[in-house]
Amino acid sequence: MNAYVDSSFLVSSYITDAHSAHVDTCMAGSPSVWLTEFNRAELANAIFQQVFRKRLTPANAAQVWSDFKRDCADGVWTGVGFPSRAWETSIELARRHGPTLGVRTLDSLHVACALELRAERFWTFDERQMKLADAVGLDTSS
């Protein structure tokens, strides 16, 4: 099985929060979880923003980032290229679903990546992304 995840899922993988136990459940089956450079950039921003918010020290954030890089090297996450059609698909999703779901650019772009990569699962803790993923038929179950 393969899955596409967004930054909310990734953050909960490395920083203990209300969703971390669910991440463990999802990852228990050792799925192939795809990450693009877009995911990496979002995760880096999310981690280091925690320093700004005083929820992590700079040293803690650096350790979290180091743990992520180690997991990438160890194959926990599978690097894939950013799908070239994701931009156009994102625009189409915004046009079709923006008026009813209030999706943001990042929401539609993550869902577009999952669609273009033909992911079997889409894992997020973001409600708007979840609603959009469900609306386009992506499997959001764990």
Side-chain angles (χ1 to χ4, degrees), residues 11-67:
V11 168
S12 294
S13 299
Y14 292 96
I15 300 172
T16 303
D17 65 14
H19 302 292
S20 296
H22 188 73
V23 168
D24 293 342
T25 300
C26 291
M27 297 299 290
S30 300
S32 178
V33 180
W34 295 337
L35 297 185
T36 67
E37 290 300 310
F38 173 49
N39 297 104
R40 288 173 41 89
E42 272 216 298
L43 179 60
N45 279 282
I47 290 169
F48 293 101
Q49 188 180 66
Q50 296 299 310
V51 175
F52 173 78
R53 292 180 176 166
K54 310 260 188 263
R55 294 181 184 151
L56 288 179
T57 66
N60 293 139
Q63 183 60 54
V64 169
W65 185 249
S66 178
D67 292 347

Short mmCIF file of all heavy atoms in Angstrom, two decimals, residues 11-67:
data_model
loop_
_atom_site.label_atom_id
_atom_site.label_comp_id
_atom_site.label_asym_id
_atom_site.label_seq_id
_atom_site.Cartn_x
_atom_site.Cartn_y
_atom_site.Cartn_z
N VAL A 11 4.21 16.34 10.92
CA VAL A 11 4.50 16.99 12.20
C VAL A 11 4.12 16.06 13.36
O VAL A 11 4.89 15.90 14.31
CB VAL A 11 3.80 18.36 12.32
CG1 VAL A 11 3.85 18.89 13.74
CG2 VAL A 11 4.43 19.35 11.35
N SER A 12 2.97 15.44 13.26
CA SER A 12 2.53 14.54 14.32
C SER A 12 3.39 13.28 14.41
O SER A 12 3.35 12.57 15.41
CB SER A 12 1.06 14.16 14.12
OG SER A 12 0.24 15.29 14.29
N SER A 13 4.18 13.03 13.37
CA SER A 13 5.11 11.91 13.39
C SER A 13 6.33 12.21 14.24
O SER A 13 6.97 11.29 14.77
CB SER A 13 5.61 11.60 11.97
OG SER A 13 4.56 11.25 11.13
N TYR A 14 6.65 13.48 14.38
CA TYR A 14 7.90 13.87 15.05
C TYR A 14 7.71 14.70 16.31
O TYR A 14 8.61 14.75 17.14
CB TYR A 14 8.81 14.62 14.07
CG TYR A 14 9.30 13.69 13.00
CD1 TYR A 14 8.65 13.61 11.77
CD2 TYR A 14 10.37 12.83 13.24
CE1 TYR A 14 9.06 12.72 10.81
CE2 TYR A 14 10.79 11.94 12.28
CZ TYR A 14 10.13 11.88 11.07
OH TYR A 14 10.54 10.97 10.12
N ILE A 15 6.57 15.36 16.43
CA ILE A 15 6.30 16.19 17.61
C ILE A 15 5.03 15.64 18.25
O ILE A 15 3.96 15.67 17.63
CB ILE A 15 6.14 17.67 17.23
CG1 ILE A 15 7.43 18.19 16.57
CG2 ILE A 15 5.77 18.50 18.46
CD1 ILE A 15 7.32 19.58 15.99
N THR A 16 5.14 15.11 19.43
CA THR A 16 4.00 14.47 20.08
C THR A 16 2.86 15.45 20.25
O THR A 16 3.02 16.55 20.78
CB THR A 16 4.42 13.90 21.45
OG1 THR A 16 5.50 12.98 21.24
CG2 THR A 16 3.26 13.18 22.11
N ASP A 17 1.69 15.03 19.75
CA ASP A 17 0.48 15.84 19.87
C ASP A 17 -0.73 14.91 19.91
O ASP A 17 -0.56 13.68 20.02
CB ASP A 17 0.38 16.88 18.74
CG ASP A 17 0.23 16.28 17.34
OD1 ASP A 17 -0.08 15.06 17.21
OD2 ASP A 17 0.40 17.02 16.37
N ALA A 18 -1.91 15.45 19.80
CA ALA A 18 -3.14 14.67 19.90
C ALA A 18 -3.28 13.63 18.78
O ALA A 18 -4.05 12.68 18.92
CB ALA A 18 -4.35 15.60 19.89
N HIS A 19 -2.54 13.79 17.69
CA HIS A 19 -2.67 12.88 16.55
C HIS A 19 -1.55 11.84 16.46
O HIS A 19 -1.59 10.96 15.59
CB HIS A 19 -2.70 13.69 15.25
CG HIS A 19 -3.80 14.69 15.19
ND1 HIS A 19 -5.12 14.33 15.11
CD2 HIS A 19 -3.76 16.04 15.21
CE1 HIS A 19 -5.87 15.43 15.08
NE2 HIS A 19 -5.07 16.47 15.15
N SER A 20 -0.56 11.95 17.30
CA SER A 20 0.61 11.08 17.18
C SER A 20 0.28 9.59 17.27
O SER A 20 0.86 8.78 16.54
CB SER A 20 1.65 11.46 18.23
OG SER A 20 2.13 12.77 18.00
N ALA A 21 -0.63 9.21 18.14
CA ALA A 21 -1.01 7.79 18.26
C ALA A 21 -1.64 7.29 16.96
O ALA A 21 -1.40 6.15 16.55
CB ALA A 21 -1.96 7.59 19.44
N HIS A 22 -2.42 8.15 16.30
CA HIS A 22 -3.04 7.76 15.03
C HIS A 22 -1.97 7.57 13.95
O HIS A 22 -2.09 6.67 13.12
CB HIS A 22 -4.08 8.79 14.60
CG HIS A 22 -4.88 8.34 13.43
ND1 HIS A 22 -5.84 7.36 13.51
CD2 HIS A 22 -4.84 8.73 12.13
CE1 HIS A 22 -6.37 7.17 12.31
NE2 HIS A 22 -5.77 7.98 11.46
N VAL A 23 -0.95 8.41 13.97
CA VAL A 23 0.16 8.26 13.02
C VAL A 23 0.78 6.87 13.23
O VAL A 23 1.05 6.16 12.25
CB VAL A 23 1.23 9.36 13.22
CG1 VAL A 23 2.50 9.02 12.46
CG2 VAL A 23 0.69 10.70 12.77
N ASP A 24 1.02 6.50 14.47
CA ASP A 24 1.60 5.19 14.76
C ASP A 24 0.74 4.07 14.19
O ASP A 24 1.26 3.10 13.63
CB ASP A 24 1.79 5.00 16.26
CG ASP A 24 2.84 5.94 16.86
OD1 ASP A 24 3.65 6.50 16.09
OD2 ASP A 24 2.82 6.11 18.09
N THR A 25 -0.58 4.20 14.31
CA THR A 25 -1.49 3.20 13.76
C THR A 25 -1.36 3.12 12.25
O THR A 25 -1.28 2.03 11.67
CB THR A 25 -2.95 3.53 14.15
OG1 THR A 25 -3.06 3.53 15.57
CG2 THR A 25 -3.93 2.54 13.56
N CYS A 26 -1.34 4.27 11.60
CA CYS A 26 -1.22 4.31 10.14
C CYS A 26 0.09 3.69 9.67
O CYS A 26 0.14 2.96 8.68
CB CYS A 26 -1.31 5.75 9.63
SG CYS A 26 -2.92 6.52 9.81
N MET A 27 1.16 3.98 10.37
CA MET A 27 2.49 3.53 9.95
C MET A 27 2.78 2.08 10.35
O MET A 27 3.75 1.49 9.87
CB MET A 27 3.55 4.45 10.55
CG MET A 27 3.47 5.89 10.07
SD MET A 27 3.67 6.08 8.28
CE MET A 27 5.42 5.70 8.11
N ALA A 28 1.92 1.48 11.18
CA ALA A 28 2.16 0.13 11.68
C ALA A 28 2.24 -0.90 10.56
O ALA A 28 2.98 -1.87 10.66
CB ALA A 28 1.08 -0.27 12.68
N GLY A 29 1.52 -0.69 9.49
CA GLY A 29 1.55 -1.65 8.39
C GLY A 29 2.72 -1.45 7.44
O GLY A 29 2.77 -2.08 6.39
N SER A 30 3.65 -0.58 7.79
CA SER A 30 4.83 -0.27 6.97
C SER A 30 4.45 0.10 5.53
O SER A 30 4.95 -0.49 4.58
CB SER A 30 5.81 -1.43 6.97
OG SER A 30 6.25 -1.70 8.26
N PRO A 31 3.56 1.08 5.38
CA PRO A 31 3.20 1.48 4.02
C PRO A 31 4.35 2.23 3.35
O PRO A 31 5.27 2.70 4.03
CB PRO A 31 2.02 2.43 4.25
CG PRO A 31 2.33 3.04 5.59
CD PRO A 31 2.94 1.91 6.39
N SER A 32 4.27 2.35 2.06
CA SER A 32 5.19 3.21 1.33
C SER A 32 4.56 4.60 1.36
O SER A 32 3.51 4.83 0.76
CB SER A 32 5.34 2.72 -0.11
OG SER A 32 6.20 3.57 -0.83
N VAL A 33 5.15 5.51 2.10
CA VAL A 33 4.60 6.86 2.26
C VAL A 33 5.43 7.81 1.42
O VAL A 33 6.63 7.97 1.63
CB VAL A 33 4.57 7.30 3.73
CG1 VAL A 33 3.99 8.70 3.85
CG2 VAL A 33 3.77 6.31 4.57
N TRP A 34 4.77 8.42 0.45
CA TRP A 34 5.44 9.27 -0.52
C TRP A 34 5.59 10.70 -0.03
O TRP A 34 4.64 11.28 0.50
CB TRP A 34 4.66 9.29 -1.82
CG TRP A 34 4.60 7.97 -2.51
CD1 TRP A 34 5.47 6.92 -2.37
CD2 TRP A 34 3.63 7.56 -3.45
NE1 TRP A 34 5.09 5.90 -3.17
CE2 TRP A 34 3.96 6.25 -3.86
CE3 TRP A 34 2.51 8.16 -3.99
CZ2 TRP A 34 3.22 5.55 -4.79
CZ3 TRP A 34 1.76 7.47 -4.93
CH2 TRP A 34 2.12 6.17 -5.31
N LEU A 35 6.78 11.25 -0.26
CA LEU A 35 7.05 12.64 0.08
C LEU A 35 7.70 13.33 -1.11
O LEU A 35 8.63 12.79 -1.70
CB LEU A 35 8.02 12.75 1.26
CG LEU A 35 7.59 12.22 2.60
CD1 LEU A 35 8.65 12.54 3.64
CD2 LEU A 35 6.28 12.79 3.03
N THR A 36 7.22 14.51 -1.42
CA THR A 36 7.85 15.35 -2.43
C THR A 36 8.69 16.41 -1.73
O THR A 36 8.64 16.54 -0.50
CB THR A 36 6.79 16.06 -3.30
OG1 THR A 36 6.08 17.00 -2.48
CG2 THR A 36 5.82 15.07 -3.94
N GLU A 37 9.42 17.17 -2.48
CA GLU A 37 10.16 18.29 -1.90
C GLU A 37 9.20 19.31 -1.28
O GLU A 37 9.55 20.00 -0.32
CB GLU A 37 11.05 18.95 -2.96
CG GLU A 37 12.23 18.08 -3.37
CD GLU A 37 13.14 17.73 -2.20
OE1 GLU A 37 13.55 18.63 -1.45
OE2 GLU A 37 13.43 16.52 -2.03
N PHE A 38 8.00 19.39 -1.80
CA PHE A 38 6.96 20.24 -1.23
C PHE A 38 6.68 19.82 0.22
O PHE A 38 6.62 20.66 1.12
CB PHE A 38 5.72 20.13 -2.11
CG PHE A 38 4.48 20.80 -1.60
CD1 PHE A 38 4.49 22.11 -1.14
CD2 PHE A 38 3.27 20.12 -1.63
CE1 PHE A 38 3.32 22.72 -0.70
CE2 PHE A 38 2.11 20.73 -1.20
CZ PHE A 38 2.13 22.03 -0.73
N ASN A 39 6.56 18.50 0.46
CA ASN A 39 6.35 18.00 1.82
C ASN A 39 7.51 18.36 2.73
O ASN A 39 7.32 18.78 3.87
CB ASN A 39 6.21 16.47 1.84
CG ASN A 39 5.04 15.94 1.08
OD1 ASN A 39 5.23 15.44 -0.02
ND2 ASN A 39 3.86 16.03 1.64
N ARG A 40 8.73 18.18 2.22
CA ARG A 40 9.92 18.48 3.02
C ARG A 40 9.96 19.95 3.40
O ARG A 40 10.25 20.29 4.55
CB ARG A 40 11.19 18.09 2.24
CG ARG A 40 11.40 16.59 2.14
CD ARG A 40 12.58 16.24 1.21
NE ARG A 40 13.73 17.10 1.36
CZ ARG A 40 14.74 16.90 2.21
NH1 ARG A 40 14.72 15.85 3.00
NH2 ARG A 40 15.77 17.73 2.26
N ALA A 41 9.65 20.82 2.45
CA ALA A 41 9.67 22.26 2.73
C ALA A 41 8.61 22.62 3.76
O ALA A 41 8.87 23.40 4.69
CB ALA A 41 9.45 23.05 1.44
N GLU A 42 7.42 22.06 3.60
CA GLU A 42 6.36 22.34 4.58
C GLU A 42 6.73 21.83 5.97
O GLU A 42 6.48 22.50 6.95
CB GLU A 42 5.05 21.69 4.13
CG GLU A 42 4.24 22.56 3.22
CD GLU A 42 2.78 22.38 3.49
OE1 GLU A 42 2.24 21.27 3.32
OE2 GLU A 42 2.16 23.39 3.87
N LEU A 43 7.32 20.64 6.04
CA LEU A 43 7.71 20.11 7.34
C LEU A 43 8.79 20.98 7.98
O LEU A 43 8.71 21.30 9.17
CB LEU A 43 8.20 18.67 7.23
CG LEU A 43 8.65 18.04 8.55
CD1 LEU A 43 7.51 18.00 9.57
CD2 LEU A 43 9.22 16.66 8.32
N ALA A 44 9.77 21.39 7.21
CA ALA A 44 10.83 22.25 7.76
C ALA A 44 10.23 23.52 8.33
O ALA A 44 10.56 23.93 9.45
CB ALA A 44 11.86 22.58 6.68
N ASN A 45 9.34 24.15 7.59
CA ASN A 45 8.70 25.37 8.08
C ASN A 45 7.88 25.10 9.34
O ASN A 45 7.90 25.89 10.28
CB ASN A 45 7.82 25.99 7.00
CG ASN A 45 8.64 26.80 6.03
OD1 ASN A 45 9.01 27.93 6.33
ND2 ASN A 45 8.95 26.22 4.89
N ALA A 46 7.15 24.00 9.37
CA ALA A 46 6.32 23.68 10.53
C ALA A 46 7.18 23.43 11.77
O ALA A 46 6.84 23.89 12.87
CB ALA A 46 5.44 22.46 10.23
N ILE A 47 8.28 22.71 11.60
CA ILE A 47 9.15 22.42 12.74
C ILE A 47 9.77 23.69 13.28
O ILE A 47 9.70 23.99 14.48
CB ILE A 47 10.25 21.41 12.35
CG1 ILE A 47 9.66 20.04 12.11
CG2 ILE A 47 11.33 21.36 13.44
CD1 ILE A 47 10.63 19.06 11.47
N PHE A 48 10.38 24.47 12.41
CA PHE A 48 11.12 25.64 12.87
C PHE A 48 10.21 26.80 13.28
O PHE A 48 10.62 27.65 14.06
CB PHE A 48 12.20 26.02 11.86
CG PHE A 48 13.26 24.94 11.81
CD1 PHE A 48 13.28 24.01 10.79
CD2 PHE A 48 14.20 24.84 12.83
CE1 PHE A 48 14.22 22.99 10.77
CE2 PHE A 48 15.15 23.82 12.81
CZ PHE A 48 15.16 22.89 11.78
N GLN A 49 8.96 26.75 12.83
CA GLN A 49 7.98 27.72 13.31
C GLN A 49 7.67 27.45 14.79
O GLN A 49 7.33 28.37 15.53
CB GLN A 49 6.70 27.62 12.47
CG GLN A 49 5.69 28.69 12.77
CD GLN A 49 4.46 28.54 11.90
OE1 GLN A 49 3.74 27.55 12.04
NE2 GLN A 49 4.25 29.49 11.02
N GLN A 50 7.84 26.21 15.22
CA GLN A 50 7.62 25.87 16.62
C GLN A 50 8.63 26.58 17.53
O GLN A 50 8.34 26.83 18.70
CB GLN A 50 7.69 24.35 16.82
CG GLN A 50 6.62 23.57 16.09
CD GLN A 50 5.23 23.94 16.55
OE1 GLN A 50 4.94 23.96 17.74
NE2 GLN A 50 4.36 24.23 15.61
N VAL A 51 9.80 26.89 17.00
CA VAL A 51 10.77 27.67 17.77
C VAL A 51 10.25 29.08 17.95
O VAL A 51 10.28 29.64 19.05
CB VAL A 51 12.16 27.67 17.07
CG1 VAL A 51 13.13 28.58 17.81
CG2 VAL A 51 12.70 26.24 16.96
N PHE A 52 9.76 29.66 16.87
CA PHE A 52 9.18 31.01 16.93
C PHE A 52 8.05 31.07 17.96
O PHE A 52 7.94 32.04 18.72
CB PHE A 52 8.67 31.43 15.54
CG PHE A 52 7.92 32.72 15.54
CD1 PHE A 52 8.60 33.94 15.58
CD2 PHE A 52 6.53 32.74 15.50
CE1 PHE A 52 7.90 35.14 15.58
CE2 PHE A 52 5.84 33.93 15.50
CZ PHE A 52 6.52 35.14 15.54
N ARG A 53 7.23 30.04 17.99
CA ARG A 53 6.09 29.98 18.91
C ARG A 53 6.50 29.55 20.32
O ARG A 53 5.65 29.41 21.20
CB ARG A 53 5.04 29.02 18.37
CG ARG A 53 4.39 29.53 17.12
CD ARG A 53 3.36 28.56 16.61
NE ARG A 53 2.68 29.11 15.44
CZ ARG A 53 1.92 28.40 14.63
NH1 ARG A 53 1.73 27.11 14.87
NH2 ARG A 53 1.34 28.97 13.59
N LYS A 54 7.79 29.30 20.52
CA LYS A 54 8.34 28.92 21.83
C LYS A 54 7.83 27.56 22.30
O LYS A 54 7.77 27.28 23.49
CB LYS A 54 8.06 29.99 22.89
CG LYS A 54 8.44 31.39 22.47
CD LYS A 54 9.76 31.79 23.05
CE LYS A 54 10.06 33.25 22.79
NZ LYS A 54 10.90 33.50 21.65
N ARG A 55 7.48 26.69 21.37
CA ARG A 55 7.04 25.34 21.71
C ARG A 55 8.19 24.35 21.62
O ARG A 55 8.09 23.24 22.16
CB ARG A 55 5.90 24.91 20.80
CG ARG A 55 4.64 25.72 21.01
CD ARG A 55 3.53 25.28 20.13
NE ARG A 55 2.36 26.13 20.29
CZ ARG A 55 1.49 26.37 19.34
NH1 ARG A 55 1.60 25.79 18.16
NH2 ARG A 55 0.47 27.17 19.57
N LEU A 56 9.24 24.73 20.88
CA LEU A 56 10.46 23.93 20.79
C LEU A 56 11.65 24.87 20.95
O LEU A 56 11.58 26.02 20.54
CB LEU A 56 10.59 23.24 19.43
CG LEU A 56 9.69 22.07 19.08
CD1 LEU A 56 9.99 21.58 17.66
CD2 LEU A 56 9.86 20.93 20.06
N THR A 57 12.71 24.34 21.52
CA THR A 57 13.96 25.11 21.55
C THR A 57 14.64 24.92 20.19
O THR A 57 14.33 23.96 19.46
CB THR A 57 14.90 24.59 22.65
OG1 THR A 57 15.31 23.26 22.31
CG2 THR A 57 14.23 24.62 24.02
N PRO A 58 15.56 25.79 19.85
CA PRO A 58 16.30 25.58 18.59
C PRO A 58 16.98 24.20 18.54
O PRO A 58 16.99 23.55 17.50
CB PRO A 58 17.32 26.72 18.59
CG PRO A 58 16.65 27.82 19.36
CD PRO A 58 15.91 27.09 20.46
N ALA A 59 17.51 23.77 19.67
CA ALA A 59 18.16 22.45 19.70
C ALA A 59 17.16 21.32 19.48
O ALA A 59 17.45 20.35 18.76
CB ALA A 59 18.89 22.26 21.04
N ASN A 60 15.97 21.44 20.08
CA ASN A 60 14.93 20.42 19.88
C ASN A 60 14.50 20.37 18.42
O ASN A 60 14.33 19.29 17.85
CB ASN A 60 13.70 20.70 20.73
CG ASN A 60 13.92 20.56 22.22
OD1 ASN A 60 13.43 21.36 23.01
ND2 ASN A 60 14.68 19.54 22.63
N ALA A 61 14.31 21.54 17.82
CA ALA A 61 13.90 21.60 16.41
C ALA A 61 14.96 20.98 15.51
O ALA A 61 14.65 20.22 14.59
CB ALA A 61 13.61 23.04 16.00
N ALA A 62 16.22 21.28 15.80
CA ALA A 62 17.31 20.70 15.01
C ALA A 62 17.34 19.19 15.15
O ALA A 62 17.59 18.46 14.17
CB ALA A 62 18.65 21.31 15.44
N GLN A 63 17.05 18.68 16.36
CA GLN A 63 17.01 17.23 16.57
C GLN A 63 15.85 16.60 15.80
O GLN A 63 16.00 15.54 15.20
CB GLN A 63 16.90 16.90 18.06
CG GLN A 63 16.93 15.41 18.34
CD GLN A 63 18.21 14.75 17.87
OE1 GLN A 63 19.29 15.17 18.23
NE2 GLN A 63 18.09 13.72 17.03
N VAL A 64 14.69 17.25 15.83
CA VAL A 64 13.53 16.74 15.08
C VAL A 64 13.87 16.67 13.60
O VAL A 64 13.59 15.67 12.93
CB VAL A 64 12.28 17.61 15.34
CG1 VAL A 64 11.15 17.26 14.39
CG2 VAL A 64 11.81 17.47 16.78
N TRP A 65 14.48 17.73 13.07
CA TRP A 65 14.84 17.75 11.65
C TRP A 65 15.86 16.65 11.35
O TRP A 65 15.76 15.96 10.32
CB TRP A 65 15.37 19.12 11.24
CG TRP A 65 15.64 19.19 9.77
CD1 TRP A 65 16.85 19.28 9.17
CD2 TRP A 65 14.67 19.16 8.71
NE1 TRP A 65 16.70 19.31 7.80
CE2 TRP A 65 15.37 19.23 7.50
CE3 TRP A 65 13.28 19.07 8.70
CZ2 TRP A 65 14.73 19.22 6.26
CZ3 TRP A 65 12.64 19.06 7.47
CH2 TRP A 65 13.35 19.13 6.28
N SER A 66 16.81 16.46 12.23
CA SER A 66 17.80 15.40 12.07
C SER A 66 17.14 14.02 12.07
O SER A 66 17.49 13.14 11.27
CB SER A 66 18.84 15.50 13.19
OG SER A 66 19.79 14.47 13.08
N ASP A 67 16.18 13.82 12.97
CA ASP A 67 15.43 12.55 13.02
C ASP A 67 14.69 12.32 11.70
O ASP A 67 14.69 11.19 11.18
CB ASP A 67 14.43 12.55 14.17
CG ASP A 67 15.08 12.54 15.54
OD1 ASP A 67 16.31 12.29 15.64
OD2 ASP A 67 14.36 12.84 16.52
#
